[in-house]
Amino acid sequence: MKHIIIPIFLILLISCKSKKDTGTINESKQEEMKISEKLESFGFFDLMKNEQKIETYKTIVETEFAENGWLKLPNNYLITHKLDIKEDEDTLTADYRSAEVEGTSMYKGNLLSNLKDFKVLFDKRNIEFKLGEEDMVWGDKTSGNHSFKHTVDINGKSITFFDGNLDDRNANNPQIYVENTIRILNQELELMDSKERFFMLTGLECVYYVLADDKMLTNFKSIENKIGNKIIEF
């Protein structure tokens, strides 16, 4: 019996060591990958069909990362400009996973325009996102307060993006619209039983709303300590 146990024990030891070595090699390869390759490895470019755009996207990512250590998710306008091509479809997103947002623009008349950018991501996934009327109502101005309400019809419902003192809606508090909007988008995704949710990725001059499932979010978190950006969940 002893002659049988010893060889099996040795096989188990060798097997464990082999698995450990393989894991180390895989981790080493992962460390060697470029940032754009890491994005590609967890399927970030899967919704893009134009190979030229993918390669240009990756080049921009690597150039920006080499210059400042931040992950830039280039928009479609930048990529088509680099490729010197014109498209019939006016789309901000190139990857169909992210949308670039400049906080102050949301309360300077561009909220509906931003929502149209997000709609492209919903449409790509065949998720209903019908935009209707936008309504802005200014109330009476009193000492220290000027009431204001901003709503947009989404999927037949009037959704409130801001309701409060107009003075609070300024350059010092762009996060009010940014945070309210991402919560509203996630509520719509939840109502449609989507497995994806938006999270926020900070940028140098903007923030990105990234639409991803739990697995992709986990993959983003795995590179967070290698980039200047921060992940914010809602």
Side-chain angles (χ1 to χ4, degrees), residues 82-173:
K82 292 279 187 182
L83 292 172
D84 194 24
I85 58 176
K86 291 184 178 180
E87 296 180 324
D88 295 332
E89 188 179 13
D90 184 24
T91 302
L92 178 68
T93 181
D95 48 52
Y96 296 101
R97 296 192 183 279
S98 67
E100 186 179 297
V101 174
E102 203 278 306
T104 56
S105 74
M106 283 188 153
Y107 65 79
K108 290 183 177 179
N110 290 331
L111 175 61
L112 195 57
S113 176
N114 285 133
L115 293 177
K116 288 176 181 177
D117 294 330
F118 303 133
K119 176 176 168 56
V120 175
L121 276 64
F122 278 73
D123 289 347
K124 188 71 173 180
R125 293 156 173 79
N126 296 314
I127 299 175
E128 186 176 31
F129 195 73
K130 293 180 181 178
L131 292 172
E133 294 295 320
E134 179 181 29
D135 194 18
M136 290 176 274
V137 179
W138 284 265
D140 295 332
K141 187 174 183 179
T142 60
S143 178
N145 187 69
H146 189 182
S147 63
F148 176 76
K149 188 173 184 179
H150 193 170
T151 63
V152 178
D153 288 346
I154 299 176
N155 293 336
K157 301 168 296 186
S158 178
I159 306 294
T160 301
F161 285 80
F162 182 88
D163 187 6
N165 186 358
L166 186 63
D167 292 339
D168 292 336
R169 194 198 70 149
N170 55 44
N172 295 321
N173 297 294

Side-chain angles (χ1 to χ4, degrees), residues 7 10 19 24 31 63 99 128 140 147 149 152 158 164 175 179 216:
L10 287 173
K19 288 179 181 178
T24 303
E31 286 297 320
T63 301
E128 186 176 31
D140 295 332
S147 63
K149 188 173 184 179
V152 178
S158 178
Q175 73 277 7
E179 293 177 3
M216 188 169 289

